Amino acid sequence: MNKQPLLILAVCFIVGVLLQDKLSLDKNYIYLVIGICLLVFIATFFKSYFLHKAKPYLLGIMFFGIGIILHFFNSFSPQSLSVPRNEFIIFKISKKLNSTEKNKKYEAVINVDKKTVNAVLYVPKDHQELDFNHYYKTKAFITSPKPAKYDFQFDYAKYLKRKSIDYQCYSNGDILSAGRKDVSFIEKFSQKRLELLQNIDKSEISQKTKDFLKGIILADRTEIDSQTIQDFNRSGLVHFLAISGTHIVVIFGLFYFLLMKFFPLKFRKYAIILSLIFIWLFALLIGLGNSVVRSCVMLSVYFVYVLLQRKPDVLHSLALSAFIILIFDTQQIFDVGFQLSFLAVLGIFWLNQPILKYFPKQNNWFKKLIFNTISISVSAQLATLPLVLYYFHQFSLISIVANFFIVPFSEIIIVFSFVMTGLIAFSLDFTLINTVYDYIIQILLKVIHWFADFDSVFFENIPMNLAEVFSLFLIVYLMRFAILKYNFKNLARLMMAVLTFFILRIGFNFYENQKTEILVHDFSKNKVLSIKEGNKVCFWIKENSDKQKITQFIINPYCSSRRLDNVEMKVAPKSARQVVYDGKIYEIN
């Protein structure tokens, strides 16, 4: 603990959060944990040889207990409503979400039965945009999201519960509005962002470019078409579209550069402080999204070290950032973006310099740009690969090449997009600049689409469980030593870890292939029957069903969970009530 105390304490804290989430200890146990933590805290003030030696372990136990305690108090206890039901509701919106084919979606605070609850609100797509300056009243169908029926399905109900949302409301009447006089400071920023998004929609650039601009600068991907999202996912460039650490660092760097043009060098620290204030105001403007807050916190912690004339330590900054975020909301640890962003930073810290040593000498800015881009990209992708496979079950080898070509130009694109947003915000319309920006983004989107079309190197339905994830992390951990010092000992340890991974994988594949399973899946208004025997599965769907969505939401998740590569799909007539398979009758009505 002498070298990285904050990191170790952060790990203890996170383990406590995970344990509480798994066991859900009641308040009696929580009181006991609070008592133990207080005793440990008091014990640290006593001068004793035994306590001095045991202090690192006692602190680990205390932070482990603090994780349990805070997660207990951060757990969501919803207001109880009788659902489903049709009811008049009064509400205000708190966030705009991705639209569906038929509806616009919002996070909203609704008032019904003299109770105030959080809900996801669905509004017909042809209705005008809702804003933060009004209260609204409408008749809506209120329901609770259904928990996942099977283990391979995404549990939307649990996802919403982690965000303190327990209900869904579907507006089915006219929406009346009334002006608000209690708009908060943060809501005023959200309203300004909404107005800026509407101004972008009115600008003289193509629709795809508008959607890209709103996503890359204002963190609004709600209207981006599915094909563009798929292109970014399949090419491994989705991090470029989402607001991430790169965006915040570039915007901070841009503002710092401009300030240093006006400030003398001796006022450098004031330029840093003003730049940090600016990125936090920017974070407020774009809605304080999870990834934005993470990036701002990590950058702020890093530059606090600089201002205090302390040598910045990446791991200390990382651990302190995690503490700050999780103390306010322990549910953040279950956010995929949180996990991937912190793992990416860890991966760059762990592997970037060792990988960079294998490149030629970087004696000019161009070589530094290219080689650092490759090494950072490879390091981050290696560190995040286990979780990417676990959550998304897909990977494209083309992503390494795509990042090599696209990432070096990302700073230019982000700066240009930021300038475009500023011009639109101040109603400055320059036709030439609009045309140039539109042209560049259209080329960028076409290049990304070209990368995404390499189906031969795109792999999906990759099975992965937690045991395999941890064995992959062990491989990534040992990789550093083999890269730094290529000898028999380090290579042998790495090969043993790789062999362990394949043994686990073969074992899990064999175990799953021994099972027979018959399931009836609910999808929209239809049912899908699946019969699995060994490593084969057959799906029956109705002839009027949406095959693409069934494949996306049922067949692919099931196959990756059950480790299947032999899949058959049969179409039953719309009027069919039963199917016969292997001499047995199954209901599909």
Side-chain angles (χ1 to χ4, degrees), residues 10-77:
V11 170
C12 293
F13 179 86
I14 290 169
V15 171
V17 172
L18 297 175
L19 182 71
Q20 171 60 19
D21 192 77
K22 185 70 175 177
L23 300 181
S24 297
L25 301 176
D26 63 28
K27 61 181 180 180
N28 293 324
Y29 288 103
I30 297 301
Y31 292 149
L32 177 62
V33 174
I34 292 173
I36 293 172
C37 288
L38 285 174
L39 287 175
V40 171
F41 178 72
I42 293 169
T44 58
F45 290 96
F46 287 95
K47 293 182 179 180
S48 163
Y49 177 78
F50 172 77
L51 290 176
H52 176 72
K53 287 293 184 181
K55 188 174 182 178
Y57 305 100
L58 293 175
L59 286 174
I61 292 170
M62 185 174 75
F63 276 84
F64 171 76
I66 292 172
I68 294 174
I69 296 164
L70 287 182
H71 192 59
F72 171 80
F73 288 106
N74 268 328
S75 296
F76 174 51
S77 300

Side-chain angles (χ1 to χ4, degrees), residues 469-480:
V469 167
F470 285 115
S471 66
L472 280 180
F473 279 133
L474 178 62
I475 292 171
V476 174
Y477 173 78
L478 295 174
M479 202 177 288
R480 173 185 171 92

Side-chain angles (χ1 to χ4, degrees), residues 302-539:
Y302 179 86
F303 277 102
V304 165
Y305 276 90
V306 173
L307 292 172
L308 294 175
Q309 297 183 340
R310 298 276 300 273
K311 183 181 178 181
D313 187 294
V314 174
L315 294 184
H316 282 174
S317 301
L318 194 69
L320 191 56
S321 301
F323 269 131
I324 292 171
I325 293 167
L326 294 176
I327 284 172
F328 285 100
D329 183 10
T330 55
Q331 298 290 352
Q332 284 286 315
I333 192 63
F334 304 100
D335 183 85
V336 179
F338 178 95
Q339 297 171 17
L340 292 177
S341 62
F342 277 87
L343 273 176
V345 176
L346 278 173
I348 293 168
F349 167 82
W350 192 245
L351 294 176
N352 182 49
Q353 289 303 319
I355 291 174
L356 207 54
K357 289 182 179 180
Y358 283 82
F359 286 95
K361 189 175 181 181
Q362 302 149 53
N363 50 14
N364 60 59
W365 72 269
F366 182 75
K367 287 184 178 179
K368 286 182 180 179
L369 173 66
I370 297 300
F371 297 153
N372 274 279
T373 298
I374 297 173
S375 62
I376 289 173
S377 177
V378 171
S379 302
Q381 287 193 58
L382 284 172
T384 56
L385 181 61
L387 277 191
V388 168
L389 296 178
Y390 177 70
Y391 286 118
F392 307 110
H393 304 288
Q394 64 182 33
F395 179 72
S396 177
L397 290 174
I398 203 66
S399 64
I400 298 172
V401 181
N403 276 277
F404 169 71
F405 280 100
I406 300 298
V407 171
F409 302 101
S410 62
E411 292 186 16
I412 299 172
I413 298 295
I414 292 169
V415 171
F416 198 175
S417 299
F418 187 78
V419 171
M420 278 292 297
T421 306
L423 292 175
I424 293 171
F426 290 100
S427 301
L428 299 174
D429 189 9
F430 297 98
T431 303
L432 179 60
I433 296 177
N434 290 347
T435 303
V436 172
Y437 181 76
D438 199 5
Y439 180 73
I440 291 173
I441 300 305
Q442 288 302 312
I443 291 176
L444 174 69
L445 295 177
K446 287 177 181 177
V447 171
I448 292 171
H449 180 71
W450 182 75
F451 280 121
D453 270 349
F454 280 86
D455 292 330
S456 58
V457 290
F458 180 74
F459 306 95
E460 57 183 347
N461 299 336
I462 303 171
M464 186 67 54
N465 61 26
L466 282 175
E468 292 168 306
V469 167
F470 285 115
S471 66
L472 280 180
F473 279 133
L474 178 62
I475 292 171
V476 174
Y477 173 78
L478 295 174
M479 202 177 288
R480 173 185 171 92
F481 304 105
I483 296 172
L484 281 174
K485 192 173 183 180
Y486 188 78
N487 57 29
F488 177 77
K489 180 182 177 182
N490 290 334
L491 185 62
R493 290 197 300 179
L494 181 61
M495 290 300 103
M496 285 296 294
V498 173
L499 181 62
T500 301
F501 170 75
F502 281 109
I503 290 172
L504 283 172
R505 195 163 188 79
I506 292 169
F508 286 120
N509 287 346
F510 179 79
Y511 175 75
E512 285 294 340
N513 289 342
Q514 303 308 303
K515 293 181 179 179
T516 298
E517 187 175 50
I518 302 168
L519 298 177
V520 177
H521 314 263
D522 294 314
F523 184 79
S524 188
K525 297 179 181 179
N526 298 312
K527 293 185 183 294
V528 177
L529 174 71
S530 68
I531 299 178
K532 172 187 173 298
E533 292 182 340
N535 65 345
K536 300 179 182 179
V537 64
C538 184
F539 289 89

Side-chain angles (χ1 to χ4, degrees), residues 168-184:
Q168 293 173 290
C169 297
Y170 297 83
S171 174
N172 52 24
D174 294 333
I175 301 178
L176 306 177
S177 63
R180 289 179 57 189
K181 296 182 179 179
D182 59 347
V183 181
S184 68

